[in-house]
Amino acid sequence: MNTPDSTTGSPAPDDSPTGQLSLDTAGERGSLSIEDTVVEKVAAAAAVEIDGVGGAARRVLGVPTGSDDGDGRPRVSARVSGRTAALDVRLTVDYPASVRATTEAVRSHLRDRVHALTELTVSRVDVSVAALTSTTTATRRVIA
């Protein structure tokens, strides 16, 4: 029986000839599965790391329940199958940034960040731009 060693907090040596734990039996220790919702949260956080990307409103039956003003995080839906993930992303892009360049940057960044943080291979990233948002406020002219 392995009990924690009171001096280091690590498991005590087992009954192996060297007195150390065997680390070569990784398959016997179990496996790690990552839920879709975890990948969705990782991808949403990673998407806003790109300049000019904002959140999109939630939708119920295709109707937005808020405004696509760029506040918050992008909406991400993930499907994990084995060691691969597919992502659907809804976001807003700050005007006048290039939509094409921004979405390509998001695709590339999501593939890299999701793989780095979860070790899943991202097979596809579908990006939908819900709206173009402006960070400048319109100035009104008064004609007298």
Side-chain angles (χ1 to χ4, degrees):
M1 176 168 113
N2 285 336
T3 57
D5 184 345
S6 62
T7 59
T8 63
S10 61
D14 63 4
D15 296 332
S16 67
T18 62
Q20 299 295 320
L21 290 174
S22 174
L23 298 177
D24 59 349
T25 57
E28 295 174 10
R29 289 189 304 245
S31 64
L32 175 68
S33 62
I34 300 175
E35 293 292 323
D36 295 354
T37 55
V38 173
V39 176
E40 290 169 359
K41 290 177 183 181
V42 167
V48 293
E49 293 173 357
I50 301 297
D51 289 334
V53 172
R58 291 185 186 274
R59 291 184 173 263
V60 176
L61 299 174
V63 178
T65 59
S67 65
D68 290 321
D69 57 5
D71 290 340
R73 289 189 173 174
R75 304 290 174 209
V76 178
S77 174
R79 287 177 301 286
V80 177
S81 177
R83 300 299 306 156
T84 62
L87 305 174
D88 291 316
V89 183
R90 284 191 77 248
L91 49 80
T92 59
V93 175
D94 287 345
Y95 179 81
S98 167
V99 172
R100 182 177 184 213
T102 303
T103 56
E104 286 300 322
V106 167
R107 281 187 186 95
S108 175
H109 189 67
L110 288 181
R111 281 190 176 103
D112 294 341
R113 292 293 286 160
V114 169
H115 179 70
L117 295 172
T118 65
E119 294 188 4
L120 294 174
T121 301
V122 179
S123 61
R124 104 184 136 71
V125 180
D126 290 337
V127 179
S128 300
V129 177
L132 296 177
T133 59
S134 177
T135 56
T136 60
T137 58
T139 58
R140 295 184 181 205
R141 294 183 358 193
V142 177
I143 301 175

